[in-house]
Each structure stands twice: as C-alpha cells, then as structure tokens.
Amino acid sequence: MLAAALSQVPAVWTLTGLAVLVFGLLPKATPAVWALVGGCLALGRLGPSLKLPAWAMNLSPYSHLPKLPGADATAAPFLWLPALSVLFAAVGLAAVRRRDIG
C-alpha cells in the first residue's frame, strides 16, 4: 500500500511545479492554482462517471499514473512527469529571479 501511495507523488510534484510556474510568471494568479488542484480532483472522481472524453481526463497528471495495486506499471509516466515538474519549477524560479522584488 505504501508503494501505491508513493506512486501518486509524481503527479503531486507536477502540480507543485505548476504552482511555482504560476507564481513566477503571474504572481497575482497564484491562488488560482487551487482551482487546478480542485479540477484534478474533480476529473479523477467525476470524470469516469460523467464519461468525459480521454482528452479531458488526460488534463490531470493523476490520470497518467497507474492505479496501484493491481494495474500494470510502466516507467514512462514516472520519468516524464518529474521531468515536466522540474521544467515548470525551473521556468518559474527563473521568472522569480527576473522580478524586482527588493
């Protein structure tokens, strides 16, 4: 069960990286990141029962991870989601450094 819980960490990192990106580029829009988190939660809970199309379900990083235990796990989402997280965070931090905060 611990492995199943830890398998969701790359999606959390992706949302965290996205929050850093929004903070760096649009600091006044940072509270809107909670809408992204809520949207991912809504897609995960309501998407299958509403029979949303695949493109809509794929907007959530959680949809790309296997549902463990029981599902077959591949390495791809565990590699590209953290890479995307690092990219988001790097761009966000670079944008913060360019701002005149002092």
Side-chain angles (χ1 to χ4, degrees):
M1 294 311 295
L2 179 62
L6 290 175
S7 71
Q8 301 301 305
V9 170
V12 174
W13 288 343
T14 303
L15 290 175
T16 304
L18 193 57
V20 173
L21 178 68
V22 170
F23 176 73
L25 296 177
L26 303 165
K28 292 186 188 252
T30 302
V33 172
W34 286 108
L36 294 172
V37 173
C40 290
L41 177 66
L43 281 173
R45 296 290 179 185
L46 300 174
S49 61
L50 294 175
K51 296 184 172 110
L52 292 178
W55 67 265
M57 294 297 293
N58 287 336
L59 292 174
S60 171
Y62 293 98
S63 68
H64 299 283
L65 297 170
K67 307 293 184 244
L68 297 177
D72 292 331
T74 61
F78 295 105
L79 295 174
W80 68 265
L81 279 176
L84 191 62
S85 305
V86 168
L87 176 68
F88 286 161
V91 171
L93 290 174
V96 168
R97 289 189 69 195
R98 293 185 67 217
R99 287 194 310 209
D100 184 25
I101 297 178

